[in-house]
């Protein structure tokens, strides 16, 4: 197993849980990949490199958390609710899907975006019928109240791609497993303490307890290929032979995979995500104890609140990522202060994190370049949120890809 991001960890956990011996290699000094946490000296607390929202319909991710004993490490409201604030007008509203699959909430004006109608949401069926080349904007109606207050922020956050160019099929895949299930499938959840504490450290502890080996600082340089199989792994520090019965899972980003397998089609363009973290002098609360707030009409799109730390996310942020961190912090704090009713000055301690290649650009053209989990080599499998999972490049997609690769590799090993 090569790569200890969430896809690699999910694959390793699944295989070790079947009693299969696992050796996991990671080039970085820590696991988690883009889902990582660290102590920030300037803020004096642990922060995540980015904000990640899970939904109660993310069954692969929630199953993974249960498998590593971290199922109780998420927090969120008891019901599906998504509060929003229009920063320009000051107007607030809350989307509140009802528990059942029948979307009765769409009939209640107080549960929808102000100024929208039932037909604005039934337009989702255009997404369900969309062809592989269709974009979100082509299926919906830009400029309407529903677009501004629901479709655009949702699509941008889920796909990290402007909805004008984003894949309609991928947005529908996300809706099918969340809002289409009713309130039971779209309750928002965030990690209680940190991404590492929920998704990474429990997995490493479990793997260690099951006898799996995990090696950090182990960068794969080349694959030794012979007779349509992987016969060896050339790491920077040593060469490992791959026995005839062994299976290899590459859970790496697309560029390293393409370097190892030049014939492999991979997505080639990416979009940035910018996250801002602010340490508040005292904890603040949103109405009804909400932890997540959608923002309309400002620089930021989503606000996450955890005790005295407020974090802001801007998706599809290629242009913003080129700006100086000080300029970004000032813009994001203006949105934050307005959202939380705090003084605009002085700027509290802050940290800006730029992920310039956060996800591949989830356009129809790039989606068509996603490779399958299988390869032309009998004992080589691929995992990662950029592979052809049928889902957006999210935590759910990454974990599902790892579990799928593990299932295929285990089947090749046979019952013994």
């Amino acid at each position: 197993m090569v790569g200890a991001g969430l896809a690699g960890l999910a694959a390793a956990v699944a295989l070790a849980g079947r009693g299969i011996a696992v050796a996991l290699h990671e080039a970085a000094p820590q696991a988690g990949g883009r889902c990582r946490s660290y102590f920030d000296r300037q803020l004096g607390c642990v922060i995540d490199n980015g904000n990640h929202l899970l939904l109660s319909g993310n069954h692969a991710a929630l199953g993974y958390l249960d498998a590593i004993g971290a199922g109780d490490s998420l927090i969120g409201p008891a019901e599906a609710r998504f509060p929003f604030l229009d920063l320009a007008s000051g107007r607030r509203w809350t989307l509140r899907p009802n528990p059942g699959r029948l979307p009765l909430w769409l009939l209640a004006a107080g549960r929808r975006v102000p100024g929208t109608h039932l037909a604005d949401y039934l337009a989702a069926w255009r997404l369900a019928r969309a062809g592989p080349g269709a974009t979100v904007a082509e299926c919906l109606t830009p400029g309407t109240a529903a677009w501004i207050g629901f479709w655009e922020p949702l699509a941008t956050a889920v796909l990290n791609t402007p909805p004008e160019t984003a894949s309609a099929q991928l947005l529908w895949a996300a809706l099918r497993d969340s809002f289409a299930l009713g309130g039971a499938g779209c309750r928002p959840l965030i990690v209680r303490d940190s991404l590492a504490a929920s998704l990474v450290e429990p997995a490493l502890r479990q793997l260690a307890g099951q006898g799996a080996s995990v090696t950090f600082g182990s960068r794969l340089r080349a694959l030794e290929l012979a007779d349509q199989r992987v016969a060896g792994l050339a790491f920077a520090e040593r060469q490992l032979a791959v026995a005839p019965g062994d299976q290899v899972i590459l859970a790496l980003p697309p560029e390293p995979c393409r370097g190892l397998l030049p014939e492999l089609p991979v997505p080639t363009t990416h979009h940035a995500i910018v996250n801002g973290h602010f340490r508040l002098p005292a904890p603040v609360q949103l109405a009804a104890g909400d932890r997540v707030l959608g923002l309309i009409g400002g620089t930021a799109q989503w606000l996450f609140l955890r005790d005295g730390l407020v974090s802001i996310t801007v998706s599809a942020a290629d242009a913003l990522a080129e700006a100086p961190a000080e300029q970004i912090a000032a813009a994001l704090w203006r949105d934050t202060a307005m959202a939380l009713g705090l003084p605009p000055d002085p700027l509290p301690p802050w940290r800006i994190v730029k992920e310039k290649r956060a996800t591949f650009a989830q356009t129809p053209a790039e989606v068509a370049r996603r490779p399958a989990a299988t390869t032309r080599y009998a004992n080589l499998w691929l995992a990662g949120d950029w592979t052809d999972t049928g889902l957006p490049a999210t935590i759910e997609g990454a974990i599902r890809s790892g579990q799928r690769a593990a299932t295929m590799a285990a089947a090749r090993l046979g019952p013994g």
Side-chain angles (χ1 to χ4, degrees), residues 218-298:
S218 184
R219 184 176 299 277
L220 182 63
R221 300 295 188 187
L223 298 171
E224 180 185 338
L225 305 170
D227 300 324
Q228 295 300 301
R229 62 178 297 275
V230 178
L233 302 173
F235 291 96
E237 67 283 1
R238 65 189 183 283
Q239 178 89 19
L240 293 181
V242 176
D246 289 345
Q247 303 294 304
V248 178
I249 297 176
L250 292 184
L252 299 172
E255 294 79 8
C257 279
R258 182 67 178 272
L260 297 166
L261 299 166
E263 76 280 7
L264 186 71
V266 302
T268 56
T269 59
H270 297 76
H271 285 309
I273 295 177
V274 172
N275 289 280
H277 303 278
F278 299 95
R279 187 68 184 269
L280 304 181
V284 298
Q285 287 189 336
L286 294 170
D290 291 312
R291 300 282 186 159
V292 179
L293 176 66
L295 300 175
I296 307 296

Side-chain angles (χ1 to χ4, degrees), residues 37-47 279:
S37 310
Y38 59 92
F39 182 81
D40 186 279
R41 292 176 181 268
Q42 184 167 313
L43 299 181
C45 64
V46 173
I47 64 171
R279 187 68 184 269

Side-chain angles (χ1 to χ4, degrees), residues 16 28 52 90 121 124 271 335 356 395:
H52 293 271
Y121 302 89
H271 285 309
D335 290 353
K356 293 190 175 183
I395 285 179

Side-chain angles (χ1 to χ4, degrees), residues 7-364:
L9 288 173
V13 166
L15 289 169
R18 296 173 183 234
I20 297 170
V22 171
L24 179 58
H25 297 267
E26 167 57 47
Q30 73 284 321
R34 286 166 292 149
C35 187
R36 62 186 183 275
S37 310
Y38 59 92
F39 182 81
D40 186 279
R41 292 176 181 268
Q42 184 167 313
L43 299 181
C45 64
V46 173
I47 64 171
D48 300 322
N49 69 308
N51 300 304
H52 293 271
L53 179 69
L54 289 170
L55 298 174
S56 51
N58 293 155
H59 297 304
L62 297 184
Y64 165 79
L65 285 165
D66 286 340
I68 61 176
D72 62 349
S73 67
L74 301 181
I75 55 176
E79 63 173 358
R81 49 182 292 118
F82 295 85
F84 281 86
L85 165 65
D86 186 327
L87 291 165
S89 67
R91 190 170 190 178
R92 295 178 184 266
W93 66 90
T94 301
L95 292 180
R96 293 188 296 122
N98 58 284
R101 284 177 178 262
L102 189 63
L104 299 176
W105 67 282
L106 296 178
L107 301 175
R111 288 175 173 261
R112 307 187 306 246
V113 178
T116 63
H117 305 281
L118 175 63
D120 295 319
Y121 302 89
L122 295 182
W125 289 108
R126 297 179 201 156
L127 299 172
R129 297 192 301 267
T135 67
V136 172
E138 289 170 347
C139 293
L140 302 173
T141 308
T144 63
W147 175 267
I148 295 169
F150 181 68
W151 292 117
E152 184 177 31
L154 176 69
T156 304
V158 170
L159 302 177
N160 189 37
T161 302
E164 291 77 12
T165 59
S167 165
Q169 286 191 340
L170 276 191
L171 181 58
W172 172 248
L175 289 172
R176 182 189 61 218
D177 292 345
S178 57
F179 281 87
L181 299 177
C186 57
R187 188 164 60 89
L189 302 167
I190 63 172
V191 295
R192 182 181 58 228
D193 299 315
S194 70
L195 293 173
S198 288
L199 294 154
V200 180
E201 293 163 2
L204 292 176
R205 288 194 295 269
Q206 175 142 320
L207 289 171
Q210 293 171 324
S213 69
V214 182
T215 305
F216 296 110
S218 184
R219 184 176 299 277
L220 182 63
R221 300 295 188 187
L223 298 171
E224 180 185 338
L225 305 170
D227 300 324
Q228 295 300 301
R229 62 178 297 275
V230 178
L233 302 173
F235 291 96
E237 67 283 1
R238 65 189 183 283
Q239 178 89 19
L240 293 181
V242 176
D246 289 345
Q247 303 294 304
V248 178
I249 297 176
L250 292 184
L252 299 172
E255 294 79 8
C257 279
R258 182 67 178 272
L260 297 166
L261 299 166
E263 76 280 7
L264 186 71
V266 302
T268 56
T269 59
H270 297 76
H271 285 309
I273 295 177
V274 172
N275 289 280
H277 303 278
F278 299 95
R279 187 68 184 269
L280 304 181
V284 298
Q285 287 189 336
L286 294 170
D290 291 312
R291 300 282 186 159
V292 179
L293 176 66
L295 300 175
I296 307 296
T299 301
Q301 296 154 347
W302 293 90
L303 179 151
F304 296 79
L305 193 59
R306 198 167 61 212
D307 298 326
L309 183 70
V310 58
S311 300
I312 294 287
T313 292
V314 187
S315 299
D318 298 358
L320 184 66
E322 299 303 321
E326 294 79 5
Q327 179 180 327
I328 297 172
L332 296 186
W333 177 248
R334 282 196 297 271
D335 290 353
T336 301
M338 186 178 299
L340 299 179
L342 298 174
D345 295 306
L347 189 68
W350 56 268
R351 175 68 65 194
I352 299 298
V353 181
K354 304 176 182 181
E355 294 279 351
K356 293 190 175 183
R357 299 171 68 85
T359 68
F360 76 95
Q362 294 170 80
T363 65

